[in-house]
């Protein structure tokens, strides 16, 4: 696309619209626009069927929250945060407003009193971090009173664009929610967005 044609495209803004693919994902693998399959579902080892069903029953709520984030951060033409310069990313002028769910993960995250994340490894809780020179692991027992277990939902969305004149994957958007009880309000935060 030449520079002048690119400059003539406007920041029009469209509301997010979820594309739901009906094709099964029998291998439960990572998907792309070309695959046009149902999302990959990942469950932590410890999560029970009842917990999963309770979390999954809130799907419409999760999608509504995700769409508000997409609108507010990437599609609203009145946002001052959206880039519209040549070679910026993401560029609202290329986004179609369409998106689909690529992955959803239901599980737990464990946090200490400083809110540092721990994960189960080798039958214990491990906090792994980098000190600038090397990776350091800090360990606690599973029943440590220092730790609080939270439910965690990770939602990986694929936003489509028409950068080359045809709709395709444009941007990946990863959202995360953590909450203490199954019926607590869900609040997603943006983990990352990147080029697909």
């Amino acid at each position: 696309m030449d520079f002048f044609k690119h400059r003539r495209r406007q920041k029009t803004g469209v509301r997010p619209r979820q594309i739901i693919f009906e094709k099964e994902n029998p291998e439960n693998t990572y998907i792309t626009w070309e695959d046009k399959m149902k999302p990959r579902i990942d469950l932590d080892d410890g999560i029970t069927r009842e917990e999963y069903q309770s979390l999954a029953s809130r799907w419409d709520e999760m999608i509504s929250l995700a769409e508000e984030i997409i609108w507010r951060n990437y599609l609203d033409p009145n946002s001052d945060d959206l880039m519209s310069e040549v070679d910026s990313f993401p560029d609202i002028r290329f986004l179609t407003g369409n998106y689909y769910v690529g992955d959803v993960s239901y599980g737990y995250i464990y946090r200490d009193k400083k809110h540092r994340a721990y994960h189960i490894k080798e039958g214990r809780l491990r906090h792994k971090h980098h000190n600038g020179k090397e990776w350091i692991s800090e360990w606690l027992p599973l029943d440590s009173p220092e730790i609080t277990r939270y439910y965690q939902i990770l939602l990986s969305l694929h936003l489509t664009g028409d950068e080359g004149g045809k709709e395709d994957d444009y941007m990946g958007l990863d959202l995360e929610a953590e909450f203490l009880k199954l019926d607590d309000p869900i609040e997603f935060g943006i983990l990352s967005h990147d080029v697909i």
Side-chain angles (χ1 to χ4, degrees):
M1 175 177 288
D2 68 57
F3 175 76
F4 294 108
K5 186 174 180 185
H6 179 85
R7 298 277 300 169
R8 286 193 296 270
R9 292 185 73 162
Q10 299 297 312
K11 286 172 54 171
T12 56
V14 291
R15 293 298 301 187
R17 185 179 77 80
Q18 182 186 12
I19 297 171
I20 300 172
F21 298 123
E22 296 300 323
K23 184 178 174 186
E24 293 297 327
N25 185 351
E27 302 295 318
N28 202 31
T29 59
Y30 177 83
I31 63 167
T32 66
W33 176 254
E34 285 134 15
D35 299 320
K36 296 190 174 19
M37 289 192 295
K38 291 184 178 183
R40 175 174 60 178
I41 307 292
D42 184 42
L43 303 177
D44 274 5
D45 288 340
I47 200 156
T48 68
R49 182 166 238 359
E50 293 77 20
E51 288 172 320
Y52 165 65
Q53 289 172 340
S54 179
L55 294 169
S57 73
R58 300 178 71 180
W59 186 251
D60 291 342
E61 176 187 359
M62 289 187 265
I63 291 300
S64 178
L65 293 167
E67 287 184 357
E68 185 53 39
I69 289 171
I70 293 170
W71 171 254
R72 186 175 59 246
N73 293 281
Y74 303 102
L75 296 176
D76 181 354
N78 298 316
S79 171
D80 293 332
D81 296 330
L82 297 173
M83 306 281 240
S84 58
E85 294 84 23
V86 173
D87 295 329
S88 64
F89 181 85
D91 187 330
I92 188 174
R93 294 170 298 184
F94 291 131
L95 288 166
T96 64
N98 294 334
Y99 74 95
Y100 62 97
V101 179
D103 294 88
V104 60
S105 173
Y106 300 101
Y108 307 118
I109 189 162
Y110 304 83
R111 295 207 178 265
D112 65 13
K113 296 191 184 312
K114 295 179 183 176
H115 210 64
R116 297 180 304 174
Y118 285 74
H119 299 277
I120 295 177
K121 180 84 173 176
E122 299 171 6
R124 296 184 291 164
L125 293 167
R126 179 180 71 166
H127 170 67
K128 187 174 179 180
H129 59 96
H130 201 270
N131 72 354
K133 296 179 183 176
E134 61 186 344
W135 286 100
I136 297 174
S137 293
E138 297 176 31
W139 299 87
L140 288 172
L142 289 176
D143 61 353
S144 171
E146 298 292 312
I147 297 295
T148 302
R149 185 188 78 179
Y150 295 88
Y151 290 102
Q152 181 185 54
I153 299 173
L154 298 170
L155 202 55
S156 177
L157 308 176
H158 296 226
L159 282 65
T160 67
D162 67 352
E163 192 174 11
K166 149 183 140 178
E167 187 172 19
D168 202 350
D169 282 331
Y170 179 72
M171 183 180 90
L173 175 62
D174 294 324
L175 305 178
E176 177 190 33
E178 295 178 14
F179 43 95
L180 197 54
K181 295 181 296 193
L182 285 170
D183 58 353
D184 280 350
I186 295 175
E187 293 181 26
F188 280 114
I190 298 173
L191 272 181
S192 66
H193 71 247
D194 54 14
V195 177
I196 295 182

